[in-house]
Amino acid sequence: MSFPPLDTALPAGVDAREHANLLRQVHEAALNGHPAPASLRPVIEDSWMRMRRFGIDPDSGPPPRVALPDELHRTRTASPIAEVLPLIRRSLVSVADEAEHIMLVTDASGQILWRDGSHRVRTVGDRVGLIEGAYWNEGNTGTNAIGTALVVGRPVQVYSAEHFVRNLHTLTCACAPIHDPRDGRLLGAIDVTGPVSTIHPSTLALVTTVAQLAEAHLQSIHHGHLERLRAVAAPLLARMGGPALVVDEAGWTAAAVHMDPVRRVLLPTQRENGTAWLPALGECTLEPLPGGWLVRPRSEESVTPTTVTLELSRPTSPAVTVAGPSGEWTHRLTPRHAELLLILAVHREGRTAAQLSEDVFGAAGNVVTVRAELSRLRRHLGGILESRPYRFSEEVQVRVGWPSDRADLLPGSLAPGVRALRTAGQERSGVVATGGGIAT
């Protein structure tokens, strides 16, 4: 398996102090409208453009918003990362302490949930607001490793004057997002922050590796839960004469009989005993089980949903909501699936695999990858997506929830089709047409 190269802040062979001085010159030139002596990395340049739109003051950035203790406690308790926090601490705290760094763990909104590490650097963190409960997303604190990594969805290192706000120029930070290994949903991030003199390219590799270990451990926990549910349901399924499957509370399949199992079923947001239309299966009966549900597809013709909403107004958490006569279902999207569904929403007439390859990768040579991703989507959204060409069903109305500023559309995406939509203005907005349009 190959991994993309990490986008470290310090170029190979460059003196750290000299590079920090150069970055300060670039920062001054950019803010004063003068020619810069060097180019910024694209991830930093894009972030600075967002800071200008947000109106962040580089000289007196606002102090980060801090959650109340009760709110922080609730967020910690609800975070899936809490299950892997001991692993993260074992992997990073001793290293951070010895290297005069602090380790920070955040949720998907950038709120710092846990902080450990060097006492001296914790004191520095106190002065700039790197404390538990503080929100370190870009909108609160400007360009920083936590906020920027959460926006682009990949590991980011930010060094010295790459921070948009000047009082952060004394810091170097490396951050890696943690995603739900089941569906790619963003859960939060791991960050290591220290004085600017402690920058090292390997820091980004370290936090990236720990984030991957955390994701692998979350996957193991998920498999263990499904195994327990499978053991509970086995006697029940053995007596079934027709198709049935057992899923957990989130719809992940533990076992199935007399049918091809689907990896996940989208369950209604509000569910109880009775009948519901499920995107991958049609009309089904639902019965509660300890830790999950018994789902039995019905053979008769079922009613399809009426509305599909692609929600892209929150840059870090794209989702699709399916609404029909018997309920509403929401499915969190990976960045790639969000790109594909957005392009299909705009092109209601459909796109071939080659066209989607151009839209997403900028070349027609990734047809196999496109087909594999669409196959996964169709398993989740059966009856909604059609093929030859790939398109939304003509029977559903498709709506797109755009961000308030079109430039914030899937900000981590490099897909040519998405980049074109960012600059397209509002000419596609406001059209509602079943089988042939989109709506905002």
Side-chain angles (χ1 to χ4, degrees):
M1 179 183 294
S2 63
F3 296 93
L6 294 175
D7 189 5
T8 54
L10 190 64
V14 172
D15 181 81
R17 185 174 299 178
E18 291 180 2
H19 191 59
N21 289 332
L22 177 63
L23 289 173
R24 283 192 287 271
Q25 296 173 39
V26 172
H27 190 274
E28 290 296 328
L31 296 181
N32 293 321
H34 298 151
S39 298
L40 291 167
R41 292 182 293 147
V43 67
I44 302 299
E45 184 177 12
D46 290 347
S47 178
W48 284 18
M49 291 176 63
R50 291 192 292 273
M51 297 312 98
R52 294 188 180 95
R53 293 200 308 274
F54 294 162
I56 299 292
D57 186 346
D59 294 311
S60 58
R65 181 168 71 89
V66 180
L68 296 173
D70 287 349
E71 179 186 348
L72 173 61
H73 175 72
R74 287 193 298 270
T75 307
R76 282 173 167 172
T77 302
S79 173
I81 299 177
E83 295 188 281
V84 294
L85 184 62
L87 168 68
I88 296 171
R89 282 179 165 149
R90 287 196 305 271
S91 303
L92 280 180
V93 171
S94 61
V95 176
D97 198 23
E98 292 176 8
E100 293 194 328
H101 282 69
I102 52 176
M103 182 205 76
L104 307 162
V105 179
T106 81
D107 68 2
S109 70
Q111 183 185 11
I112 297 174
L113 302 183
W114 295 281
R115 183 181 77 159
D116 291 284
S118 165
H119 175 74
R120 186 176 77 83
V121 182
R122 286 205 303 269
T123 303
V124 175
D126 291 343
R127 291 199 293 269
V128 297
L130 276 168
I131 59 176
E132 291 174 334
Y135 286 83
W136 274 72
N137 51 55
E138 286 191 335
N140 274 280
T141 54
T143 302
N144 70 91
I146 293 172
T148 304
L150 291 174
V151 168
V152 301
R154 61 180 183 272
V156 171
Q157 188 173 34
V158 178
Y159 175 55
S160 184
E162 288 183 326
H163 291 93
F164 191 74
V165 178
R166 282 191 173 90
N167 70 345
L168 302 180
H169 288 186
T170 59
L171 300 176
T172 178
C173 318
C175 182
I178 299 176
H179 296 89
D180 189 324
R182 301 171 301 175
D183 58 9
R185 177 171 60 97
L186 181 65
L187 300 178
I190 305 170
D191 174 89
V192 169
T193 292
V196 71
S197 59
T198 63
I199 184 173
H200 197 283
S202 65
T203 307
L204 185 61
L206 175 63
V207 295
T208 301
T209 300
V210 175
Q212 292 169 345
L213 285 173
E215 291 174 354
H217 194 49
L218 286 170
Q219 183 78 290
S220 176
I221 292 171
H222 169 63
H223 287 161
H225 173 66
L226 291 184
E227 281 293 335
R228 291 189 294 273
L229 181 58
R230 194 173 294 123
V232 169
L236 178 65
L237 292 177
R239 298 193 298 268
M240 290 286 171
L245 68 163
V246 171
V247 301
D248 68 7
E249 291 288 353
W252 296 98
T253 300
V257 292
H258 306 302
M259 61 179 292
D260 293 329
V262 293
R263 185 164 180 257
R264 187 184 186 186
V265 173
L266 293 187
L267 296 174
T269 307
Q270 302 294 328
R271 50 188 178 271
E272 55 188 24
N273 286 4
T275 302
W277 185 92
L278 304 182
L281 302 173
E283 202 75 19
C284 298
T285 57
L286 299 179
E287 300 175 34
L289 294 174
W293 292 83
L294 173 66
V295 180
R296 291 187 290 174
R298 301 173 65 172
S299 57
E300 60 262 30
E301 203 66 28
S302 62
V303 179
T304 57
T306 57
T307 304
V308 175
T309 302
L310 184 59
E311 182 53 66
L312 304 177
S313 61
R314 298 181 298 276
T316 60
S317 54
V320 60
T321 297
V322 181
S326 54
E328 182 176 285
W329 310 262
T330 297
H331 173 57
R332 298 291 181 182
L333 295 170
T334 65
R336 181 70 73 222
H337 287 175
E339 291 169 345
L340 289 167
L341 290 182
L342 173 60
I343 292 166
L344 293 179
V346 172
H347 297 281
R348 286 302 303 272
E349 73 283 1
R351 304 290 276 174
T352 65
Q355 288 174 321
L356 286 171
S357 179
E358 292 277 4
D359 294 331
V360 172
F361 298 102
N366 293 279
V367 169
V368 173
T369 301
V370 167
R371 286 175 176 157
E373 295 292 353
L374 264 298
S375 177
R376 295 186 186 99
L377 271 172
R378 294 184 73 204
R379 284 198 293 269
H380 287 307
L381 305 174
I384 295 170
L385 289 178
E386 299 179 359
S387 60
R388 300 182 182 178
Y390 292 108
R391 64 197 185 279
F392 279 100
S393 168
E394 294 182 358
E395 299 176 3
V396 301
Q397 179 173 291
V398 180
R399 300 178 180 273
V400 177
W402 303 96
S404 55
D405 189 326
R406 188 64 70 89
D408 291 326
L409 179 66
L410 298 177
S413 173
L414 300 177
V418 175
R419 294 173 72 90
L421 288 171
R422 288 190 194 128
T423 58
Q426 301 297 319
E427 65 267 20
R428 292 188 184 272
S429 300
V431 180
V432 184
T434 301
I438 60 176
T440 58

